[in-house]
Amino acid sequence: MNLSPGKDAPTWPQEFAERYRAAGWWRGETFGGMLRERAAEHPDRVAIVDPGGNGAPARRWTYGELDRRADRLAAGLLARGIGKGDKVVVQLPNIAEFFETVFALFRIGALPVFALPAHRETEIRYFCEFTEAAAYVIPQQVGGFDYRGLAAKLVDEIPTLRHVFVAEGDAGPFEALPDVATEVAPEHLPAAPAPSDLAFLQLSGGSTGVPKLIPRTHDDYIYSLRGSNELCAVDEDSVYLVALPAAHNFPLSSPGSLGALYAGARVVLCPQPGPEAAFPLIESEGVTITGLVPPLALLWTEAAPATAYDLSSLDVLLVGGAKFSEEAARRVKPALGCTLQQVFGMAEGLVNYTRLDDDPETIVTTQGRPISPDDEIRVVDDEDNDLPPGETGHLLTRGPYTIRGYWRAPEHNARSFTADGFYRTGDVVRLTATGHLVVEGRAKDQINRGGEKVAAEEVENHILAHPSVHDANVVAEPDAYLGERTCAYVILRADAEPMRPAAIRKFVRERGLAAYKVPDRVEFVEVFPQTGVGKISKKALRETALRETASTPSSA
Ligand code: OOB
């Protein structure tokens, strides 16, 4: 099967690919090869630390062991008919098997589709159907949710889905991941995928009815790791704590677990992102660097001064995924004793970091500047005209690790990319004189719920499926802790029985949507405000929400 992104999505034109190779950004590396090299260089160095818990044993895997495990699992997957180009939905919590699984898939050229543990039937069914996934990898349960029950339903109904592997806990009717692995001589594994091949499909935060899939190649993603490692000072002595869900682009690659593995460093998995789980691991493993979304960074800075744990090993705290307020940013260093590094990134590519040696004001007031000298940044008005430096406008970007199109989405691509390949980020930014970006707002119809992205249209569609609902609009409203939360304005049908807001939330939840997408607040209204030309004004709805939240307590 052809794995080049060109078949299912637009890829970089040849002249750009040549330039990125000539500049040394794309070096012809693959994930499978990278692990093999690190294992050869230092087989006995610890790669993955999984503290276990909830009945699961603690594990410390060396580079040698991770490499062997990836080979054995790769062989077992091949024996089950999973191979090059096959899609495998991976929905695992922060456990060691996440890495065993994805490196096994990388090695045989099968593509992980990175689902989050919070996703439910609606999202997972869509990923499996849309990608024609051959397999689905799950834990037995996390937070009381029975993933095997969901898997049983999906294998029954989706013809391409032939395998379910249970990575942790009781496999029930399915195959346990450890039973899949088989002994193999590495030379019997198939040829490695090409560096320009797709490595995996990442999920977009989305602003449309269904999430879009982001096709990333080995070469482009590995460049973003190398670039991130350099800017975040990650080397083989670093210890990276995965506090956020491992499959998300931020903890995966900015510089994240994959950056740390690229550097030959140690990756420590944290089962929960709060201080209770993280602080003991920082002390016991000597964690040097980690990444958090703003609400968690706030929790950590509040908890740190009173903790009995020694956090002095922590050098760098990356904060991103949503805007980190200046006031909160100022508290990081005094509370945690480490350098704050703001990161403004996106799974589509572009990642900006404040530099470790930026002056303290730049660190707390900007969201950083791009990784690469070849990241092209444009700030434009509504008609795509470039704005004078320093003015606020839409951020467009193109570069050596930013996709040229989503996977199998030609119509959406025509809107999300300019004709000459710039990605329309949907972010509203301003460039400072030093080339740092300040995120001023957002033009896309999305709610950024403390770093978790909610596409308004997706939630609206689910609410509209309720038989009593005539129309629905979902907008962001301020939240002291999350930054933003979701508010759904709903018009009921004229003949509908009166109902309570909670009934709408329950309805959406029961449709099998990730909990973070269930509206935080539902308001019934008679009409929606309109713009001059008679379109529904989300701007006016957001202003209404703002007034209403000013008079109601936040969820904090
Ligand atoms: C990260 O990736 P995604 O794909 O979940 O979300 C990307 C969007 C950006 O377009 C922007 O709207 C928002 O998240 N965002 C920020 C931000 N970082 C991300 N908005 C304001 N300030 C920031 N610092 O969220 C992501 C990927 C890699 C690294 C870090 C975050």
Side-chain angles (χ1 to χ4, degrees), residues 514-528:
Y516 67 86
K517 297 181 189 170
V518 176
D520 293 289
R521 191 163 72 94
V522 175
E523 282 290 323
F524 294 119
V525 292
E526 301 288 318
V527 287
F528 294 133

Side-chain angles (χ1 to χ4, degrees), residues 151-382:
K153 205 164 166 185
L154 297 180
V155 276
D156 251 11
E157 295 168 20
I158 302 175
T160 60
L161 194 61
R162 300 188 306 273
H163 300 277
V164 173
F165 302 119
V166 183
E168 179 187 71
D170 175 1
F174 303 115
E175 208 172 357
L177 199 71
D179 298 342
V180 178
T182 44
E183 217 44 70
V184 64
E187 56 274 20
H188 290 140
L189 289 172
S196 57
D197 283 345
L198 291 186
F200 56 83
L201 297 172
Q202 184 56 277
L203 307 182
S204 79
S207 53
T208 55
V210 288
K212 296 287 172 291
L213 296 175
I214 297 171
R216 301 292 299 258
T217 65
H218 293 264
D219 246 348
D220 94 74
Y221 210 65
I222 290 178
Y223 170 45
S224 80
L225 303 181
R226 217 181 321 108
S228 297
N229 281 350
E230 198 180 318
L231 299 176
C232 306
V234 168
D235 62 22
E236 59 179 30
D237 296 322
S238 300
V239 181
Y240 181 87
L241 183 78
V242 185
L244 296 170
H248 187 274
N249 201 61
F250 177 15
L252 195 61
S253 67
S254 299
S257 55
L258 294 181
L261 293 174
Y262 185 89
R266 181 180 303 181
V267 172
V268 177
L269 298 168
C270 194
Q272 298 292 333
E276 312 72 34
F279 286 5
L281 282 172
I282 294 176
E283 177 179 295
S284 62
E285 295 296 330
V287 169
T288 62
I289 177 167
T290 187
L292 295 176
V293 290
L296 288 167
L298 276 173
L299 271 186
W300 282 39
T301 40
E302 278 160 21
T307 187
Y309 291 102
D310 178 4
L311 308 179
S312 61
S313 60
L314 196 64
D315 293 326
V316 176
L317 176 66
L318 291 139
V319 180
K323 178 89 180 241
F324 198 32
S325 75
E326 189 183 320
E327 308 80 79
R330 284 191 197 283
R331 282 186 242 149
V332 169
K333 191 157 195 170
L336 285 153
C338 63
T339 303
L340 166 68
Q341 191 165 26
Q342 295 213 40
V343 47
F344 162 40
M346 50 206 73
E348 286 81 357
L350 180 71
V351 182
N352 305 276
Y353 294 102
T354 55
R355 303 307 195 245
L356 295 175
D357 59 357
D358 275 342
D359 65 82
E361 277 308 293
T362 304
I363 289 177
V364 297
T365 57
T366 80
Q367 279 65 59
R369 52 193 174 86
I371 293 178
S372 177
D374 260 333
D375 280 321
E376 297 172 73
I377 296 290
R378 289 179 62 199
V379 181
V380 302
D381 66 14
D382 289 347

Side-chain angles (χ1 to χ4, degrees), residues 139-160:
Q140 177 194 343
Q141 62 94 24
V142 174
F145 182 74
D146 169 23
Y147 292 85
R148 293 177 321 189
L150 169 55
K153 205 164 166 185
L154 297 180
V155 276
D156 251 11
E157 295 168 20
I158 302 175
T160 60

